[in-house]
Amino acid sequence: MKDSITRSELINLLASQFEGSELSKSDISLSVREIINHMSSTIANGDRIEIRGFGSFTLRQRNPRMGRNPKTGEPVPLGAKYAPHFKPGKDLKEQVKGKVGS
């Protein structure tokens, strides 16, 4: 099983699935780029994205904490920050259940 898929691999996969249709590879590339850019800006603005059956993307605030400098081992204060968070939907959880590692 492959660990990840790159954007160009996704575009090539979609292009092969829509081969013979009116969609060109450049149309598919533009669509993928626009979807990812829109999702990124929506999450960065603090809004939530929900894709039914797949999951939801939100921003979560991480509280300040003490970290360590890996070179010296000295404690370093880390401030609060926002980080993207993905929560899988019920359908995705069911589809993945028991598949990984088998």
Side-chain angles (χ1 to χ4, degrees):
M1 180 162 94
K2 190 170 179 181
D3 290 336
S4 62
I5 185 169
T6 65
R7 183 186 306 206
S8 60
E9 290 171 336
L10 174 62
I11 291 166
N12 290 334
L13 177 68
L14 291 172
S16 68
Q17 288 181 352
F18 288 102
E19 196 171 336
S21 73
E22 294 181 16
L23 290 174
S24 68
K25 190 171 180 180
S26 61
D27 291 336
I28 293 169
S29 177
L30 177 65
S31 298
V32 168
R33 184 174 50 238
E34 285 300 314
I35 289 168
I36 291 171
N37 288 342
H38 184 71
M39 289 176 73
S40 297
S41 63
T42 299
I43 294 168
N45 289 332
D47 295 326
R48 181 175 187 265
I49 297 173
E50 181 179 338
I51 302 171
R52 300 280 168 136
F54 182 70
S56 61
F57 300 87
T58 56
L59 266 186
R60 286 221 175 142
Q61 184 175 13
R62 291 192 179 164
N63 294 327
R65 62 186 177 90
M66 289 301 288
R68 293 213 175 270
N69 180 329
K71 279 188 176 181
T72 64
E74 292 289 319
V76 178
L78 301 173
K81 66 179 182 177
Y82 287 94
H85 175 74
F86 174 71
K87 180 179 178 186
K90 181 180 176 183
D91 293 346
L92 179 59
K93 285 182 188 177
E94 289 297 318
Q95 192 173 4
V96 172
K97 193 176 189 177
K99 299 257 179 159
V100 178
S102 35

